[in-house]
Amino acid sequence: MKARRIAELLRTQPIDEQVVIQGWVRTFRNNQFIAMSDGSTIKTLQVVVDRETTDPEILKRINTGAAIEAHGTLVPSQGRGQSVELVADDITIHGEADPEKYPLQPKRHSMEFLREIAHLRFRTNTFGAVFRVRHALAFAIHKFFNDEGFYYLHTPVITASDAEGAGEMFRVTTLDLHKVPMKEQGSIDFKQDFFERETNLTVSGQLEAELGALALGKVYTFGPTFRAENSNTSRHLAEFWMIEPEVAFCDLDDNMDLAEAMLKYVVSYVIRECNDDLAFLNDRFVKEEQSKPKQERSEWSLLEKLAFIVEHDFERLTYTRAIDILRNSKPNRKKKFNYVIEEWGADLQSEHERYLVEKHFKKPVILTDYPKDIKAFYMRMNDDDKTVRAMDILFPGIGEIVGGSQREERLDALKARMAEMDIPVKELYWYLDTRKFGTCPHAGYGLGFERLVQFVTGMSNIRDVIAFPRTPGNANF
Ligand code: 4AD
Ligand code: MG
């Protein structure tokens, strides 16, 4: 008989049917009641074992973490907390978990401890919920773009360019680091490397996505990106997944509309499809907030935050207006910010972004038209020659979740900006070709996928929304 999944059994409740389930023991009470999980839902199915007739050797091996298969009949449950249960007539143990050694006992473990056993943490309620929601978000993103007529473009992971021009790249090489081939002038001879040139892991698929958009009209990437920035924060990873749509004949306003619509779509999707997991994560979030000092607590529950995103328009304003607001804000005047905002041109830190979102506007904010000096080379210059058509979307508890811009489509303006910023014009000839041949206004943005998962699940550390986080000093598993 084919095994059925617990989520389906709880939904359809096929009373009196013979069923088989396969999964892992969460708890075993009174030598009789197994709470079983198979990953299909946060809920467990109660399996009732006949302790008179079951072999005591089998009973001894039913421990938390063991993989088992249960055959039996589904019946209405007498107990509280579940509508149905499985009365087992046969239990097979596939794999034991020695209770003396299994690190995941049924009690509350700290997130730090669970990170050390990231290979096992999928088996906890919290991580089960996080990874089911993560999947649902990824699926919703593909569905949104597909329904909007976008093509999913796979851009390379290994590149020879620095899309952001920030120099935060991981090198890719097969050279023997103990015997690096040198040229006569004393520099490294990359001609002898695998690609016969210097290469690195991509920081963004944007430049290649632009090439695609200028032929296919609307494309998006969804892949891993890598940043060797030494940021040990709860919002930075060295390896993270990014979604980067790029659209031809599109300006910054269209771009903001697209990003806002996408975020609302994916959040509504998980509200609809991930009820049980979100209810669990909401309880967890509320408890965690209660343990914080009052002024740091979120005013909203997780579910309220999610509903709020869907129901309200994002506030749109220029960087210049935001600087005015920040400069006159209480924490700035009282020098409570770690970085006090003195003048126009300052880069915004997450404390400033969060002030705008959480204290001033109390809703998601889109900042536009940043100073050119704090943004990348490819953004379209405004007529003031000081600001560029950039936009960042700021979310409560997260800060920047999306960064994007209208692109500089004018060849001369782009070349001038690249020269000013020391971006190698010659190496990026292929990028410039799009401006030489059939250029047009176009725009796009990047959504940090883990920051989105963080927002939706309410997890406070980004390391807890990706299976195996890569951060400075850590590439375990
Ligand atoms: O603002 P960023 O650097 O923009 C780009 O990479 C553009 N090429 C995007 C585009 O226009 N196509 O990154 C975009 C988003 C950020 O808003 C943030 O959500 C996320 O990527 N991000 C990170 N997420 C986790 N860890 C990091 N180190 C991140 N760096 C950026
Ligand atoms: Mg950014």
Side-chain angles (χ1 to χ4, degrees), residues 261-279:
M262 175 207 64
L263 287 165
K264 288 184 164 149
Y265 177 93
V266 301
V267 172
S268 322
Y269 180 89
V270 291
I271 292 176
R272 217 171 45 240
E273 301 293 325
C274 304
N275 280 309
D276 296 340
D277 287 322
L278 287 181

Side-chain angles (χ1 to χ4, degrees), residues 189-335:
D189 185 6
F190 284 103
K191 271 268 161 251
Q192 296 190 41
D193 205 346
F194 188 90
F195 296 107
E196 300 183 10
R197 63 186 303 173
E198 284 186 73
T199 50
N200 53 272
L201 295 178
T202 189
V203 296
S204 155
Q206 179 197 320
L207 303 189
E208 293 89 350
E210 283 186 53
L211 313 179
L214 291 189
L216 295 161
K218 301 194 213 184
V219 300
Y220 71 105
T221 70
F222 189 161
T225 50
F226 307 85
R227 306 245 171 130
E229 56 185 329
N230 207 352
S231 303
N232 238 321
T233 80
S234 58
R235 300 173 317 115
H236 285 88
L237 290 165
E239 175 178 305
F240 63 99
W241 288 66
M242 187 154 52
I243 294 98
E244 296 186 277
E246 193 69 35
V247 185
F249 306 103
C250 172
D251 66 14
L252 195 70
D253 291 318
D254 305 325
N255 200 29
M256 288 190 278
D257 291 345
L258 178 71
E260 189 169 337
M262 175 207 64
L263 287 165
K264 288 184 164 149
Y265 177 93
V266 301
V267 172
S268 322
Y269 180 89
V270 291
I271 292 176
R272 217 171 45 240
E273 301 293 325
C274 304
N275 280 309
D276 296 340
D277 287 322
L278 287 181
F280 172 85
L281 291 166
N282 187 60
D283 283 349
R284 197 189 162 275
F285 178 83
V286 170
K287 276 194 203 109
E288 193 173 282
E289 290 301 310
Q290 274 162 0
S291 70
K292 289 185 184 166
K294 203 155 184 218
Q295 66 275 18
E296 286 172 32
R297 260 178 234 169
S298 165
E299 290 171 33
W300 298 316
S301 74
L302 178 62
L303 291 173
E304 283 164 347
K305 279 206 301 177
L306 298 183
F308 195 83
I309 294 292
V310 177
E311 288 159 12
H312 293 80
D313 288 342
F314 299 1
E315 186 73 30
R316 300 181 184 189
L317 70 155
T318 63
Y319 164 91
T320 303
R321 247 195 80 208
I323 285 288
D324 279 341
I325 293 169
L326 287 168
R327 224 191 277 154
N328 295 317
S329 69
K330 216 163 149 196
N332 205 60
R333 281 186 280 119
K334 299 209 156 152
K335 305 213 182 307

Side-chain angles (χ1 to χ4, degrees), residues 163-164 203-206 227 229 235-238 240 242-246 375 378 392-393 400-405 407 444-451 462:
E164 292 300 301
V203 296
S204 155
Q206 179 197 320
R227 306 245 171 130
E229 56 185 329
R235 300 173 317 115
H236 285 88
L237 290 165
F240 63 99
M242 187 154 52
I243 294 98
E244 296 186 277
E246 193 69 35
K375 288 292 179 189
Y378 49 70
D392 277 7
I393 303 186
E400 180 190 338
I401 194 163
V402 163
S405 67
R407 317 306 187 190
Y445 62 83
L447 164 68
F449 187 52
E450 283 74 19
R451 291 198 186 166
I462 199 165

Side-chain angles (χ1 to χ4, degrees), residues 325-391:
I325 293 169
L326 287 168
R327 224 191 277 154
N328 295 317
S329 69
K330 216 163 149 196
N332 205 60
R333 281 186 280 119
K334 299 209 156 152
K335 305 213 182 307
K336 285 268 157 53
F337 284 141
N338 289 325
Y339 295 86
V340 175
I341 300 276
E342 308 275 7
E343 54 194 302
W344 190 91
D347 204 352
L348 300 185
Q349 306 296 323
S350 88
E351 56 182 345
H352 310 125
E353 298 173 340
R354 293 185 56 178
Y355 174 83
L356 291 170
V357 174
E358 290 158 39
K359 298 280 185 293
H360 190 84
F361 290 108
K362 294 187 187 288
K363 56 166 145 159
V365 168
I366 313 185
L367 293 188
T368 64
D369 302 285
Y370 282 75
K372 63 175 180 183
D373 292 331
I374 57 172
K375 288 292 179 189
F377 69 93
Y378 49 70
M379 299 190 181
R380 194 178 198 283
M381 193 68 71
N382 282 318
D383 293 339
D384 62 12
D385 219 22
K386 274 167 52 187
T387 58
V388 287
R389 291 247 78 189
M391 64 112 171

